Amino acid sequence: MKKRSVTNIKIFFEGAILSYRALFQWLRPATYIASKILAPLTMMIFFVFIGAYASGSNDASFYVIGNALIFAASSGIFGVTMSIGGERWSGTLPYLFGSPANRMAIFVGRAFMHILDGMLGVFIGFGWGVLLFELDLSQTHLIPLLLTIIITTYSTAGLGLLMGCVGLITRNVMLVNNTVFFSMLLFSGANISLETLPKWMQVVSIFFPLTRGIASTCLVVAGAGINEILPLLLEEFLIGLIFILVGFFLFSTFEK
Amino acid sequence: MNAIEIFNLKRQFKTTIGVIKRQTKEVVAVDGISFDIQEGELFGLLGPNGAGKTTTIKMLTTLLIPSSGTATIMGLDVVKDAEKIRPRIGFIFGGERGLYWRLSGLDNLRYFATLYYVDVNIAKKKIPELIELVGLKGREKEKVEGYSRGMRQRLHIARALLHDPEVLFLDEPTMGLDPVGVREMRMTIRDLQSAKKTILLTTHYMFEADPLTLSRPVFFPISILLTVFAFVGFGVIIASLFILIPDFQRLQNTLEFPIYILCGFLFPIALLPGWTTPISYILSPYWAARALHGSAQGALEINQIYISWVMLIFFSAVYIIGSSALYRLVLKRARVDATLNTTG
């Protein structure tokens, strides 16, 4: 039993690393830099200037934080979806389903590297914010910030796992992914303050991951401690868990 | 004991036609098939595209739930005991997909060994053995995308054998391979059969479905050796006739081509008139030709080849023993004549 658990952990990590290598090795250093550093920068510049122009404010921190976390969502949704969808595309899915391996270890393992990748994206976003938009992190406590980034990246990867499962039965999952991603730009409060949204949109935003992550990050950057953000983080964690469980349920259902 | 038992297995799919007015149509992929496969048996499932071979394999490998009917693998139900069956079976689907192309062959095998809970120490020993078995030694650290189609198929075989399964499902394993690749694949399958694995093989080709064809590399050399024996026997009787019949040389030239024809070396004896058949049956080269064609082209079942070998040996032995008796008789008669001449 113990040996099987150890192997399950191995399936999780080995699957995470190998599937990332197998499906994302086209990312050469140049393409990786372009997708991780340059593309987020242009996106951030776009939303910061649009936001500043629309709100008439000189404080870019709200847009920098929102867009930095959107990079995590991008990695979580697109990366994880491609990771699961890639198994279908490469024809390895029947061999995964036909193996006796623990399904949860296979399924969640696919998200692991993308969570790390997403976290890196957030740090890069913050780096751009400090360098170009005078993001002030002098009041920020490191541990609450790290915790917020980890949990937010995890919850968006949860949505990615659910999307990946949808990819198992649909031919054009990228269409669904793009719709979800752009909805997140709107509903998560990354670029538009939730208070300014109509009531029904505020209700919809509750069901998206990232919403509480962005709110929590804004508080942490402003100097909040762990106690102040704990309820938000718990909710973010829960919503991520719900997406993972629903995704896993679909994964098991589609297997049959 | 039966390794696989299938009874009235059925699988239907629903497909939709049209965009606005959608019509649902039910397609029967597998329509109530039943068969049993014994342990250690190589069983060929033959049929054209769309016959339901792959669907059958998918149901037996627990990837698809049957619409109705039952199927058991080593006594375990494919629906209820799917988790117990998976570690005991291995399967490959034809074609190149199903491998991580950007990983090396070695990494692919390592990962699938983990998925099948193969002990790390056993995997360390087993993976190099399998790489050698499928002829990928020296290329295992290269990315799969650089492999030829045949190499990928062989890597599939190695992957399917990692956990030492009792039952193997091979769905069109020679699909898209060149003749050399096909031959190598057949030899690998033959080796697996020798290792007492139960194999269910699906194919489009009749000669592949015939287990004999897979065993041809063994049958053919034996048939050649026995053909030599058949001609020795036939040669001995011809030599005897030289002794017995004066001026046999002229007769031999006349008989030579009819004998070739009667032996079936030039064309099948089925094309000859019926009355010639009994003559063919008593000629050992006829049985030699039959055994050679049967083992080379997979045209005969195994028991028919055995019969050809037995008949060939029997008639060759009859020729040799008969010629020897005849020779002794002629010698005895010659001695008597010599004695009479001397006394006379």
Side-chain angles (χ1 to χ4, degrees):
Chain A
M1 194 70 191
K2 194 183 166 190
K3 207 171 179 182
R4 209 167 171 88
S5 305
V6 172
T7 314
N8 284 339
I9 295 168
K10 206 177 159 213
I11 288 171
F12 177 88
F13 285 107
E14 209 168 278
I17 296 164
L18 287 178
S19 76
Y20 188 81
R21 275 180 55 205
L23 300 163
F24 292 86
Q25 220 169 49
W26 51 269
L27 283 173
R28 306 266 170 234
T31 45
Y32 189 79
I33 287 167
S35 69
K36 277 281 154 202
I37 298 174
L38 299 177
L41 175 65
T42 54
M43 186 174 147
M44 188 176 271
I45 290 170
F46 176 80
F47 281 111
V48 166
F49 282 106
I50 287 272
Y53 173 75
S55 64
S57 163
N58 286 328
D59 183 14
S61 62
F62 173 76
Y63 305 102
V64 170
I65 292 167
N67 284 289
L69 285 164
I70 278 288
F71 303 151
S74 165
S75 207
I77 294 176
F78 291 107
V80 177
T81 306
M82 281 168 76
S83 189
I84 294 180
E87 301 285 354
R88 184 186 174 189
W89 181 80
S90 62
T92 44
L93 201 61
Y95 297 103
L96 286 183
F97 281 156
S99 76
N102 182 292
R103 299 297 188 257
M104 197 61 155
I106 295 178
F107 179 70
V108 184
R110 293 292 177 277
F112 182 71
M113 289 302 287
H114 298 284
I115 291 176
L116 295 183
D117 209 25
M119 282 165 61
L120 179 68
V122 178
F123 290 126
I124 292 168
F126 271 79
W128 284 129
V130 171
L131 281 173
L132 302 174
F133 303 108
E134 296 169 357
L135 178 68
D136 182 13
L137 295 176
S138 59
Q139 307 291 313
T140 312
H141 299 290
L142 189 65
I143 292 174
L145 181 68
L146 276 177
L147 205 61
T148 306
I149 292 171
I150 291 169
I151 290 176
T152 311
T153 321
Y154 141 87
S155 67
T156 53
L159 179 62
L161 284 171
L162 178 63
M163 291 291 107
C165 287
V166 173
L168 295 179
I169 53 161
T170 49
R171 283 205 181 91
N172 198 354
V173 72
M174 281 303 155
L175 186 73
V176 186
N177 269 355
N178 282 321
T179 312
V180 170
F181 181 72
F182 287 108
S183 303
M184 278 179 79
L185 281 180
L186 186 65
F187 288 101
S188 66
N191 291 302
I192 306 158
S193 175
L194 289 177
E195 290 83 51
T196 59
L197 292 176
K199 196 76 187 163
W200 71 268
M201 287 178 82
Q202 287 184 33
V203 173
V204 173
S205 73
I206 295 169
F207 301 100
F208 274 93
L210 199 66
T211 310
R212 293 149 206 84
I214 288 172
S216 172
T217 313
C218 287
L219 289 173
V220 171
V221 170
I226 194 120
N227 291 334
E228 292 154 81
I229 58 161
L230 203 59
L232 287 171
L233 291 187
L234 277 174
E235 282 178 33
E236 187 75 19
F237 181 84
L238 265 177
I239 203 115
L241 188 66
I242 290 168
F243 278 118
I244 291 174
L245 291 177
V246 172
F248 182 66
F249 172 74
L250 288 180
F251 187 76
S252 307
T253 310
F254 296 154
E255 185 184 354
K256 288 167 187 159
Chain B
M1 186 193 163
N2 286 333
I4 300 172
E5 286 178 9
I6 295 173
F7 180 71
N8 204 17
L9 200 67
K10 216 175 223 186
R11 175 71 202 196
Q12 290 146 317
F13 293 103
K14 277 183 182 163
T15 55
T16 49
I17 311 164
V19 181
I20 298 164
K21 269 191 174 182
R22 286 204 155 200
Q23 284 181 316
T24 308
K25 194 183 159 194
E26 202 159 76
V27 178
V28 180
V30 176
D31 194 7
I33 57 164
S34 305
F35 58 83
D36 296 337
I37 303 174
Q38 287 189 337
E39 268 184 53
E41 191 181 347
L42 168 60
F43 189 92
L45 209 56
L46 179 76
N49 285 330
K53 303 184 297 294
T54 302
T55 309
T56 305
I57 292 242
K58 279 187 177 172
M59 287 191 278
L60 295 176
T61 52
T62 75
L63 293 173
L64 207 60
I65 295 175
S67 303
S68 63
T70 57
T72 58
I73 312 286
M74 309 302 286
L76 299 164
D77 188 275
V78 290
V79 181
K80 290 178 204 154
D81 306 311
E83 283 178 24
K84 287 180 191 162
I85 289 175
R86 282 171 191 151
R88 299 178 70 175
I89 60 168
F91 60 93
I92 66 165
F93 292 110
E96 300 174 90
R97 296 170 79 230
L99 294 164
Y100 296 103
W101 282 32
R102 291 194 183 94
L103 297 181
S104 67
L106 188 63
D107 279 341
N108 268 282
L109 293 181
R110 276 182 189 152
Y111 181 48
F112 279 103
T114 310
L115 287 178
Y116 277 89
Y117 297 96
V118 179
D119 185 84
V120 180
N121 295 322
I122 295 172
K124 272 183 189 164
K125 201 169 156 259
K126 185 104 183 169
I127 290 172
E129 281 174 11
L130 286 171
I131 285 170
E132 192 156 357
L133 175 82
V134 298
L136 289 175
K137 202 177 175 186
R139 304 285 305 268
E140 70 270 25
K141 287 181 183 164
E142 292 174 26
K143 282 183 190 173
V144 172
E145 64 188 358
Y147 284 8
S148 68
R149 197 172 278 190
M151 287 165 75
R152 284 179 202 139
Q153 280 293 74
R154 282 182 276 144
L155 185 63
H156 266 302
I157 291 266
R159 182 194 51 70
L161 294 173
L162 276 167
H163 55 295
D164 199 18
E166 295 155 74
V167 184
L168 267 173
F169 296 92
L170 310 175
D171 187 21
E172 293 171 28
T174 56
M175 187 168 81
L177 296 185
D178 61 24
V180 177
V182 170
R183 200 185 61 197
E184 284 172 353
M185 182 59 73
R186 280 196 210 129
M187 284 171 79
T188 309
I189 294 168
R190 196 201 67 217
D191 291 343
L192 293 173
Q193 197 195 4
S194 320
K196 304 285 176 211
K197 302 272 180 208
T198 306
I199 303 170
L200 174 56
L201 171 86
T202 75
T203 179
H204 299 304
Y205 309 111
M206 178 72 90
F207 61 89
E208 263 183 15
D210 188 347
L212 165 70
T213 312
L214 299 163
S215 311
R216 198 194 309 162
V218 178
F219 279 81
F220 194 61
I222 297 173
S223 296
I224 289 177
L225 274 174
L226 290 175
T227 301
V228 174
F229 181 61
F231 276 100
V232 168
F234 200 65
V236 167
I237 202 154
I238 297 288
S240 309
L241 292 173
F242 267 108
I243 299 166
L244 280 174
I245 305 167
D247 208 14
F248 182 72
Q249 184 72 48
R250 198 179 295 161
L251 194 64
Q252 186 212 359
N253 290 338
T254 319
L255 288 176
E256 194 171 10
F257 281 99
I259 284 173
Y260 284 150
I261 292 166
L262 287 170
C263 290
F265 273 100
L266 300 178
F267 51 82
I269 64 157
L271 299 172
L272 299 176
W275 61 265
T276 62
T277 312
I279 305 170
S280 297
Y281 283 175
I282 59 162
L283 297 171
S284 66
Y286 161 74
W287 296 106
R290 195 173 147 83
L292 276 175
H293 282 304
S295 24
Q297 293 168 352
L300 293 180
E301 285 178 15
I302 292 174
N303 56 354
Q304 285 179 301
I305 289 196
Y306 287 146
I307 290 169
S308 300
W309 287 350
V310 169
M311 297 301 275
L312 177 161
I313 293 166
F314 172 75
F315 281 112
S316 301
V318 167
Y319 296 161
I320 292 167
I321 295 164
S323 302
S324 163
L326 210 65
Y327 183 71
R328 260 184 269 135
L329 192 74
V330 170
L331 206 66
K332 201 175 166 185
R333 217 178 256 179
R335 275 193 199 132
V336 170
D337 287 348
T339 314
L340 286 173
N341 287 339
T342 315
T343 49

